[in-house]
Amino acid sequence: MASGLTQDTDPAEVGLDPARLARLDRRLARWVDDGQLPGFLVTVSRRGRLAHVGRAGSRNVEEGLPVEEDTRWRIFSMTKPVTSVAAMMLYEEGLLELTDPITKWLPEFADTRVYVAGSAQKPVTQPQMQPIRVAHLLTHTSGLTYGFHHAHPVDAVYRAMGHEWGTPPGADSAEVCRQWASAPLVFQPGTEWNYGVSTDVLGRLVEVVSGQPLDVFFEERIFRPLGMTDTSFGLREDDDVASLARLYAAVPGQPGGAATGFAPLDTMGAAAHSTPTFLSGGGGLVGTAADYVRFAEMLRRGGSFDGGRLLGPRTLAHMVRNHLPGGADLETFGRPLFAETPLRGVGFGLGFSMVIDPVRYGGVASVGDYSWGGAASTAFYVDPVEDVVVTFFTQLLPSSTLPIRAHLRALVNQAIVA
């Protein structure tokens, strides 16, 4: 695979029909033309060859700046797989076990109680039946939550502390973990799946276990070995702010109807203009498509890329296996709320979701196809059966605005002809 985003093969040479693949760009561009999407960049690789790069629209609509191949994107929760890989690197070094209680390094969670009943102001709680373990953070079965869910009294507890789409000003990773540890867990660790700040706590765990700030660990242990030169926690001092795509929020239409357009979300977007105090392992990175393609290719290749090996193949294979009890899917074991994936027919491993039942999932997909996405509608997936890696970048909140992820799989899969 060539460096940057240079297409390095004819699609037909890797079993992709170019005419059918063109449908992908046309469908995505229709959302741009209809004023529902500011702009996008999409990549399709097969058998380790970059076979397609498509882009259209603007990274900043108001200033007329087009999407470029070196545009930087807030990847939000696509940070989570990076943090999960970091934790598993420490596992491979014998520095932690998946069954270890996190109180071994984060003692503040020893006294965290579990919600049973009551309101956010007066919750009724009980002690933990078992401690939060490293594996619970990786699988989102810890009982931690997100303030922006608006689905449970504990979500409101988080919001009251200043945790919704951000964290309290000046609080670093150690402080935010202390704050989350002071709130009740939504359920007993290991008993349910709930999308939440688990990976942020995992990022703090990586810091304590490794003895390095998360940005330093990422740079030295992940980005540099993979050649990811343009990914960081917020923009660096010498980065051009104009290279960062503007963040937009969908403008709601009629109740229950589709969004009618989008508007700038500059207050939230400005948080990525510099290195934040809180290095969010769950959602803090900005970077280029070329960088994330390299990360995704490392996953596809079993833990190494371009001479940089981060993980052993067996470790990577374990991460992308469904870890939900009894082989359950997220709809059965999880809570019916926002997540960066459909819930039917989808399992969850150590940092990734994966298709376990394509029929129940509701679209053409391979068993074992694994993925994740970000709040601003970014997404990636790796299909180990068809040997395909797909990445998609835009900056539109929330990620549920358009059915982008379903269309990606449908339009890429229909182009595979050999």
Side-chain angles (χ1 to χ4, degrees), residues 79-132:
T79 304
K80 289 180 168 70
V82 181
T83 304
S84 300
V85 164
M88 294 306 291
M89 292 169 71
L90 299 176
Y91 164 81
E92 285 195 332
E93 294 170 16
L95 297 177
L96 57 80
E97 294 287 336
L98 298 179
T99 53
D100 280 339
I102 66 171
T103 52
K104 186 174 179 179
W105 303 278
L106 305 177
E108 59 267 33
F109 285 95
D111 299 322
T112 301
R113 295 180 62 84
V114 180
Y115 175 90
V116 176
S119 66
Q121 291 74 31
K122 293 185 177 180
V124 178
T125 64
Q126 64 182 17
Q128 297 175 42
M129 301 300 291
Q130 68 163 315
I132 300 173

Side-chain angles (χ1 to χ4, degrees), residues 178-195:
R178 284 191 288 268
Q179 293 176 9
W180 292 327
S182 72
L185 300 175
V186 175
F187 49 74
Q188 290 288 349
T191 62
E192 296 184 51
W193 186 92
N194 186 66
Y195 194 40

Side-chain angles (χ1 to χ4, degrees), residues 1-14 16 21 43-53 69 293-294 297 300-301 305-306 389:
M1 175 172 288
S3 61
L5 278 180
T6 303
Q7 183 176 325
D8 60 2
T9 191
D10 185 311
E13 293 182 1
V14 290
L16 296 168
L21 195 56
T43 73
V44 181
S45 305
R46 195 172 194 212
R47 301 169 190 161
R49 311 289 292 185
L50 184 57
H52 180 76
V53 179
E69 291 184 358
V293 167
R294 297 175 80 82
E297 272 293 319
R300 184 194 71 84
R301 299 181 188 198
F305 179 75
D306 202 18
V389 173

Side-chain angles (χ1 to χ4, degrees), residues 156-167:
V157 174
Y158 278 46
R159 292 195 298 275
M161 294 190 297
H163 297 275
E164 189 167 6
W165 284 102
T167 52

